[in-house]
Amino acid sequence: MISTICVIGAGTMGSGIAQVSAQSGFDTLLFDINTDMLAKAIQGIEINLQLLVDKNKITTAEKINTLQRIKTVSDTNHCIADVFIEAIVEKMEAKVAVFNQLAQVNHPGAIFASNTSSLSISDIQSAVKHPERVVGMHFFNPAPLMKLVEVVKGKQTDDAIADRIVQLCKQMNKVPVLCKDAPGFIVNRVARHYYLEAMKLVEKGFASVENVDAIMEASGFKMGPFKLMDLIGMDVNLAVSQSVYEAFDKAERFTPSPLQIQKVKEGNLGRKSGKGFYAYGEGR
Ligand SMILES: NC(=O)c1ccc[n+]([C@@H]2O[C@H](COP(=O)([O-])OP(=O)(O)OC[C@H]3O[C@@H](n4cnc5c(N)ncnc54)[C@H](O)[C@@H]3O)[C@@H](O)[C@H]2O)c1
């Protein structure tokens, strides 16, 4: 039975996933190596829940109970849970290291789900001591609002573990879709060109950032590619571009854009830093 969920990483995705977990009734641990991020995550969750109270979607008591179910942790030895949902930096070594550390202090049935956008679940499995209990659980941003979760089976994922994660998504009121472990899975593979082609248009001077966004939104997309990249985070989106590019043997069509590389170099990461393609005030 799953009673405690530990979310690893309290950034854009981890904070949202922790909110989803606590709202779904699970005791939720939120772990980060940066304690400022933990404080900001709790603040953000409180603001989100208050907005739901203001819209009469939840009661004040539900808000309080949800917040009480979340505990922040900054030592992996205190991360004891049934399911881990990892949402740290998009780097293979970091994800493998944290899974191996957690496995040492947890029960032998604990499940290790990664929210990676683009790293291979099978590659993570080949570097951990408990590969059959590793699975992809790819939420979308913002996690409390977006219904879709790609559940990714790596080469060594136990079928029963993938099934439990599918069930968990349903308990979280999400819509799980079982995916194969292909580069970018489904959404990020298809969406790569939404970002890359948009940046090519701007780089070559054929259109402005604002024009592209306005036209794509007018044609039915909820968010233009540049607004979406600012929401995702330029560093995260570049990491996804790079790993999909590598996974396709550097195919020209997946070449990361100089524009996104430049934004990351400048520290203009999007909403979280206060500036990306657009300006947002203070950031998080
Ligand atoms: N941003 C998106 O739209 C999005 C969507 C789906 C999936 N993802 C994936 O989710 C993951 C996190 O992305 P994000 O946008 O939340 O990043 P983020 O930069 O907002 O947050 C990452 C957090 O991880 C923490 N961290 C880094 N290394 C750590 C470690 N070793 N142990 C514990 N905490 C650590 C950082 O302090 C930071 O708080 C990435 O794998 C990314 O590909 C992102």
Side-chain angles (χ1 to χ4, degrees), residues 12 141 225-237 260 262-284:
T12 309
N141 185 5
F226 294 99
K227 282 188 198 159
L228 189 50
M229 283 186 274
D230 276 0
L231 176 72
I232 291 166
M234 222 65 70
D235 51 341
V236 172
N237 199 36
Q260 60 183 162
Q262 184 198 338
K263 291 278 179 205
V264 173
K265 272 197 192 136
E266 293 165 351
N268 292 326
L269 304 181
R271 287 193 193 192
K272 64 183 171 186
S273 71
K275 194 174 167 206
F277 289 106
Y278 297 90
Y280 299 91
E282 268 195 19
R284 70 181 171 204

Side-chain angles (χ1 to χ4, degrees), residues 12-13 32 88 90 95 115 117 139 141 232 272 284:
T12 309
M13 294 307 291
D32 203 292
I88 65 170
E90 187 75 339
K95 292 181 190 291
N115 183 49
S117 304
F139 288 80
N141 185 5
I232 291 166
K272 64 183 171 186
R284 70 181 171 204

